[in-house]
Amino acid sequence: MDFIDKFKIWCLLICMITELGLGFYLPGSYPHKYVVGDKLSVKVNSLTSIDTEIPYSYYSLPFCQPPEGVKDSRENLGELLMGDRIENSPYKFKMYTNETEVFLCQTKPLSGEEYKLLTNRIDEIYQVNLILDNLPAIRYTKRDSYFVRWTGYPLGIKVENAYYVFNHLKFTVLVHKFEETNVASVMGTGDAAEVIPPAGKKSGSDVPGYMVVGFEVTPCSVKHSPESLKNLKMYGKYPSKITCEDNTVYMAVKENEPVAFSYEVTFVESDIKWPSRWDAYLKMEGAKVHWFSILNSLMVITFLAGIVLVIFLRTVRRDLTHYEELDKEAQAQMNEELSGWKLVVADVFRAPSNPRLLCVMVGNGVQILGMAVVTIMFAALGFMSPASRGTLVTGMLIFYMILGILAGYVAVRMWRTIFCGDHRGWVSVSWQVACFFPGIAFLILFTLNFLLWGSHSTGAIPLSLFVVLILLWFCISVPLTFVGGYFGAKAPHIEYPVRTNQIPREIPPQKYPSWLLVLGAGTLPFGTLFIELFFIMSSIWMGRVYYVFGFLFVVLILLVVVCAEVSLVLTYMHLCVEDWKWWWKSFFASGSVALYIFLYSINYLIFDLRSLSGPVSATLYLGYSFLMVLTIMLATGTVGFLSSFWFVHYLFSSVKLD
């Protein structure tokens, strides 16, 4: 293969990475054909706020209810874990039928408790999340000379100690002419709005139809005339014109006074096609920043590779080559004059303290890392699109359970390697691998769930779902982990290239504590991912859609490389100062990146989520952050340990030292 062919291949790879940067979107469902006059029903998701991070049901506030009653939509496992509660709403349209001044309802006079609850939700900046044909309502606000996109709309606003509610909604539905295909004619979207064909109309392929490709909302605060509301029924036409003004509020919320709600809808034919209708939601600004993150990671890798893999490996190779060129008498004489890493030859493979815990953590780390790689790959290829809510979390759970086989295999085989092939205790190791990380995660979620239960939040995981998670855990994950442990017990253990003395060698006193260097090593992996971490945190806590999984996959690969290099370097440095206790230090050399991520999470809480109110919200944030940090520590620590183990085994198997 000449230089030109190699250059073409590299260009092709760069183009593929560029295309994957924003991720593909495979809708996973076909467009639904709506004939003019077909009924469209809007659904409502939980009320959310970046101020408290505690979701609530839309109907926990004194709002209009649908005439057929409140009904829950079927949520999958991922939606329930994410706190989504999708219900029907009173807002109903007819395809391509513009309507104005549609009266919805007038509430009863607000009691003191209802008034306090509504004003508190306005203070906490709660948003209403509406859904039409599986598309969330999007709102545009003008800031300086450009428009900012928001999903949902705020409940209201506080102006000069008075609270105003947005009680009139101006909907804009973007539609595109239906493009007939053989498959689309017989299949519809799985989460589409209910369709009731009007009497006397056909919905066949011979009737022209439309697809919903956009859903926009503009909230307004309008003061309705009490006289005009006396004889109005639900979905009746308000007798006078309602003017929807963006920057003016009129409907003040007062105790013992009712609130009237109304809406209007306009259908606009758009050039947006069905595959592109999610572009407005998936578009993430700052692509250059993502590339800067990747370039920053490449610089870290280059420095480590240059300083470590070139200088340091050349030094080791020179020592080995020089040793191999000596005759037996010279080698015997040299063995008496050993220095540096050669002095710990009889202790380097001595079993570490708490070997069982180390094997369990490495097994869980392999499982988590494998889950992350597979999930991000599927997401980057478009198989976990935001159109299918909860798919990402559901996929993570499925992949994690399946990879229990790998976790059990790695943990048990490492256990047998540490004890030179002794297979006793592999059942206990497999059981601890199956319960260690899931048990901690379950305990954290259950504790935080008590806070959500006490707040009557929809984000609280139902007790029935906890039962389902326990069944999945013990009926699928645990057996698969035991299967992997069985194969690990049958597989040959990794033999050590040197013998270990019975009496451990004394470690010389060090000028600086070795753990200080281990903790400082986490700064390099953190420098690899901290830019991408900002976008992930914004997606989780700011309600933004994260969909640059191509960039995330590249950053993950670079993070693995940096963790391996950092741990390898520190292991060599410890061996050079005759410190043979490298096992745990190699794990935490790369795993210490979790410490900096936790510090970054606190910084994000103080400066980016400074409006976060209440001890419950802060406790939820810190609890979920701790779970995320523990997950990252196990994954990155495993990478560092396995790379160091390979290096130490290779180093001492390359030369025979007695």
Side-chain angles (χ1 to χ4, degrees):
M1 183 181 294
D2 57 12
F3 175 78
I4 297 178
D5 293 334
K6 292 181 179 179
F7 179 76
K8 290 180 179 178
I9 292 176
W10 276 107
C11 290
L12 179 61
L13 290 175
I14 293 174
C15 292
M16 290 176 62
I17 293 175
T18 304
E19 292 297 325
L20 282 173
L22 296 177
F24 291 108
Y25 166 54
L26 301 179
S29 57
Y30 290 93
H32 196 104
K33 177 182 178 180
Y34 295 100
V35 181
V36 175
D38 281 350
K39 291 184 179 180
L40 306 178
S41 296
V42 178
K43 297 182 181 180
V44 61
N45 204 343
S46 302
L47 300 174
T48 56
S49 171
I50 63 173
D51 207 30
T52 66
E53 298 301 335
I54 303 176
Y56 289 99
S57 170
Y58 174 79
Y59 296 105
S60 63
L61 296 177
F63 288 150
C64 304
Q65 295 193 4
E68 67 273 16
V70 179
K71 299 178 181 179
D72 292 332
S73 297
R74 292 177 298 176
E75 289 100 2
N76 57 40
L77 183 62
E79 287 179 297
L80 292 174
L81 290 175
M82 294 298 293
D84 290 336
R85 298 294 184 273
I86 301 176
E87 301 165 313
N88 58 332
S89 80
Y91 298 100
K92 299 182 185 298
F93 314 142
K94 291 183 179 180
M95 171 56 72
Y96 224 120
T97 304
N98 297 338
E99 296 180 274
T100 57
E101 293 89 34
V102 180
F103 172 72
L104 202 57
C105 78
Q106 184 177 24
T107 66
K108 297 178 181 179
L110 299 179
S111 64
E113 184 178 350
E114 290 175 333
Y115 171 80
K116 183 179 179 181
L117 182 62
L118 182 57
T119 53
N120 285 342
R121 295 291 181 265
I122 294 175
D123 280 334
E124 293 164 347
I125 321 177
Y126 268 88
Q127 308 281 320
V128 180
N129 302 293
L130 300 176
I131 302 170
L132 175 63
D133 194 45
N134 205 30
L135 281 179
I138 196 169
R139 176 173 58 98
Y140 292 94
T141 58
K142 191 171 183 180
R143 182 177 296 175
D144 297 331
S145 58
Y146 59 93
F147 286 92
V148 181
R149 301 184 307 275
W150 306 89
T151 53
Y153 68 91
L155 288 173
I157 190 172
K158 182 180 180 181
V159 180
E160 297 179 355
N161 297 324
Y163 292 90
Y164 296 86
V165 65
F166 292 124
N167 61 333
H168 180 82
L169 300 181
K170 181 180 180 181
F171 295 108
T172 302
V173 181
L174 305 181
V175 296
H176 188 83
K177 285 188 177 180
F178 185 79
E179 299 173 357
E180 187 70 55
T181 61
N182 292 333
V183 181
S185 62
V186 296
M187 297 188 67
T189 57
D191 192 26
E194 294 88 350
V195 182
I196 305 175
K201 290 191 177 182
K202 298 181 180 180
S203 58
S205 59
D206 56 330
V207 179
Y210 295 89
M211 303 173 291
V212 177
V213 295
F215 184 38
E216 301 173 5
V217 62
T218 302
C220 308
S221 181
V222 177
K223 181 68 175 179
H224 297 88
S225 172
E227 291 77 14
S228 303
L229 299 175
K230 289 182 179 179
N231 299 322
L232 281 179
K233 295 183 178 180
M234 197 171 195
Y235 305 118
K237 188 173 179 62
Y238 190 74
S240 59
K241 182 175 178 58
I242 298 178
T243 303
C244 186
E245 300 178 3
D246 292 341
N247 300 321
T248 307
V249 290
Y250 296 102
M251 186 58 211
V253 180
K254 296 180 180 179
E255 192 173 346
N256 297 323
E257 289 189 7
V259 179
F261 292 88
S262 58
Y263 68 94
E264 59 184 279
V265 58
T266 304
F267 287 83
V268 178
E269 197 162 341
S270 172
D271 294 332
I272 300 175
K273 295 185 178 181
W274 171 267
S276 304
R277 70 175 194 157
W278 274 89
D279 288 356
Y281 305 88
L282 304 183
K283 184 179 180 182
M284 291 193 69
E285 306 295 339
K288 293 182 180 180
V289 178
H290 293 283
W291 281 114
F292 176 77
S293 173
I294 293 176
L295 292 176
N296 177 64
S297 304
L298 289 174
M299 290 180 61
V300 174
I301 291 176
T302 302
F303 274 112
L304 287 174
I307 297 175
V308 181
L309 298 181
V310 176
I311 299 176
F312 139 65
L313 286 183
R314 277 186 179 177
T315 302
V316 175
R317 175 58 64 183
R318 185 176 63 247
D319 289 347
L320 296 179
T321 304
H322 175 67
Y323 183 85
E324 291 171 356
E325 291 176 351
L326 299 176
D327 54 25
K328 292 184 179 180
E329 293 182 1
Q331 288 181 8
Q333 182 179 358
M334 184 178 179
N335 287 340
E336 298 176 359
E337 302 174 356
L338 295 178
S339 62
W341 59 270
K342 309 176 193 67
L343 289 173
V344 296
V345 61
D347 298 275
V348 69
F349 289 106
R350 189 177 301 279
S353 58
N354 298 316
R356 185 186 297 270
L357 179 61
L358 179 62
C359 294
V360 168
M361 294 177 69
V362 169
N364 283 137
V366 170
Q367 189 176 8
I368 293 171
L369 183 63
M371 174 203 67
V373 172
V374 176
T375 303
I376 295 175
M377 283 183 60
F378 273 85
L381 294 174
F383 293 101
M384 297 179 180
S385 69
S388 302
R389 292 176 182 82
T391 306
L392 187 65
V393 176
T394 304
M396 291 172 63
L397 288 175
I398 293 174
F399 293 140
Y400 181 84
M401 290 187 295
I402 294 175
L403 289 172
I405 297 178
L406 185 61
Y409 176 83
V410 172
V412 170
R413 192 175 185 194
M414 182 57 61
W415 169 263
R416 294 188 63 228
T417 297
I418 292 176
F419 291 98
C420 302
D422 189 358
H423 67 277
R424 290 177 297 178
W426 74 268
V427 175
S428 176
V429 172
S430 300
W431 172 253
Q432 292 179 13
V433 170
C435 296
F436 178 73
F437 177 74
I440 295 176
F442 188 87
L443 181 62
I444 293 175
L445 290 177
F446 194 76
T447 303
L448 297 179
N449 217 51
F450 271 111
L451 300 177
L452 293 172
W453 277 336
S455 302
H456 305 286
S457 169
T458 59
I461 301 175
L463 191 60
S464 58
L465 183 58
F466 270 112
V467 175
V468 172
L469 291 176
I470 292 175
L471 291 176
L472 291 175
W473 180 8
F474 286 98
C475 296
I476 298 179
S477 181
V478 172
L480 289 178
T481 305
F482 273 97
V483 170
Y486 173 79
F487 285 110
K490 294 296 182 181
H493 69 282
I494 303 174
E495 296 185 1
Y496 294 148
V498 294
R499 295 193 302 268
T500 301
N501 290 341
Q502 294 183 354
I503 302 176
R505 178 185 178 86
E506 183 179 356
I507 300 175
Q510 309 297 326
K511 182 179 289 188
Y512 302 103
S514 58
W515 284 103
L516 188 63
L517 188 61
V518 169
L519 294 178
T523 55
L524 291 175
F526 179 74
T528 304
L529 59 80
F530 82 95
I531 295 179
E532 205 65 33
L533 184 63
F534 170 78
F535 290 95
I536 296 175
M537 297 287 282
S538 299
S539 174
I540 296 174
W541 302 110
M542 292 288 191
R544 300 172 185 171
V545 179
Y546 185 90
Y547 207 64
V548 286
F549 290 105
F551 286 113
L552 183 61
F553 183 74
V554 175
V555 171
L556 177 62
I557 298 301
L558 297 178
L559 176 65
V560 169
V561 175
V562 172
C563 287
E565 292 180 342
V566 165
S567 183
L568 190 145
V569 173
L570 258 71
T571 299
Y572 177 72
M573 293 176 63
H574 283 110
L575 294 179
C576 285
V577 295
E578 304 176 30
D579 185 357
W580 46 267
K581 295 182 178 181
W582 59 271
W583 300 79
W584 282 106
K585 292 173 184 176
S586 65
F587 185 93
F588 287 111
S590 54
S592 62
V593 65
L595 172 64
Y596 298 95
I597 294 177
F598 188 71
L599 295 176
Y600 179 84
S601 301
I602 297 176
N603 175 81
Y604 191 85
L605 172 63
I606 296 174
F607 294 101
D608 293 274
L609 295 178
R610 53 184 176 271
S611 61
L612 198 67
S613 61
V616 175
S617 301
T619 303
L620 289 172
Y621 174 85
L622 293 176
Y624 289 127
S625 297
F626 178 76
L627 181 59
M628 177 186 69
V629 165
L630 176 64
T631 304
I632 295 175
M633 184 199 70
L634 291 174
T636 55
T638 297
V639 172
F641 171 77
L642 293 179
S643 61
S644 294
F645 182 84
W646 168 83
F647 166 71
V648 172
H649 190 278
Y650 170 79
L651 179 63
F652 285 91
S653 62
S654 300
V655 59
K656 300 299 181 182
L657 295 172
D658 296 325

